[in-house]
Amino acid sequence: MKLPMKQFSIFALLVFLTFSCDFNDLPEPRDESQKWALAGYQVNVSGEMEYTSIQDSAYVYSMMPDGSFTKTVGEYTLQGTYEQSLSDGLTHYKFQYSTKNSLLVHSCTPDVEDYFINSKGQLTGTWDECDGSKLYFDKE
C-alpha cells in the first residue's frame, strides 16, 4: 500500500520532531560561576576623582552559584559568602568574610564589602564612601 505524498510528508515531519526533541528531564547544570577582575580604580586627588586603568589584574573575585566566593589579591586569598539583591534598579552584592579584620577587606564596615553593578556592567565598590578608592571590576 502506497502512502499519498501529503500523508508521507506529515509522517516525516512527525518523525523529525520526535527525534529532535530532548526528553531529558534533568539537564546538566550550567556553570553559573562569575569571575570579576579589577579593571581600574578612582582616588580623590585635590578634590577631583582620578581614574587609573589596570591591565592583567591579579585582584579577582570568583563567585560560585552556591553563594560562596574567593577573593584573590596577588598571592593572598580570602573566602566567604555573598548575597545578591536588587535595589533601586541595581544588582547589589554583599560579601561577608570568614577571615576577620583582614587588611584585604576594602570597606567602610568591618568584614563586609558592598558592591553593585553600574550602568557599564562593572562590579563597583563603595569603599570611596569612607575615603577609600572606588574599585571597578570587569567580568571575565
Side-chain angles (χ1 to χ4, degrees):
M1 177 167 132
K2 283 179 116 179
L3 288 176
M5 188 58 148
K6 186 175 183 181
Q7 287 179 337
F8 177 76
S9 296
I10 293 172
F11 175 75
L13 180 63
L14 288 174
V15 168
F16 173 77
L17 290 174
T18 300
F19 288 105
S20 65
C21 294
D22 181 9
F23 294 102
N24 186 358
D25 290 336
L26 300 170
E28 290 294 318
R30 292 181 287 171
D31 180 16
E32 304 262 342
S33 62
Q34 299 180 46
K35 198 169 196 179
W36 296 85
L38 184 66
Y41 63 92
Q42 279 184 312
V43 292
N44 190 339
V45 177
S46 303
E48 296 289 323
M49 292 300 282
E50 191 173 293
Y51 183 81
T52 302
S53 181
I54 302 291
Q55 299 295 323
D56 299 326
S57 175
Y59 187 164
V60 176
Y61 285 88
S62 299
M63 299 160 48
M64 304 308 292
D66 67 357
S68 65
F69 77 93
T70 302
K71 176 181 181 177
T72 306
V73 182
E75 61 188 49
Y76 301 100
T77 301
L78 294 175
Q79 295 179 333
T81 59
Y82 72 93
E83 295 175 10
Q84 179 180 339
S85 63
L86 188 62
S87 176
D88 301 325
L90 297 173
T91 302
H92 292 262
Y93 292 93
K94 181 177 280 192
F95 296 98
Q96 298 177 326
Y97 290 88
S98 51
T99 304
K100 302 297 179 199
N101 300 321
S102 173
L103 295 176
L104 297 178
V105 177
H106 302 118
S107 176
C108 302
T109 307
D111 308 321
V112 175
E113 290 178 333
D114 291 309
Y115 281 81
F116 64 93
I117 304 297
N118 69 15
S119 61
K120 294 180 181 180
Q122 293 176 304
L123 184 66
T124 307
T126 59
W127 191 27
D128 61 310
E129 293 175 358
C130 56
D131 297 328
S133 300
K134 187 167 200 73
L135 305 173
Y136 298 91
F137 294 80
D138 286 336
K139 196 170 191 179
E140 290 188 334

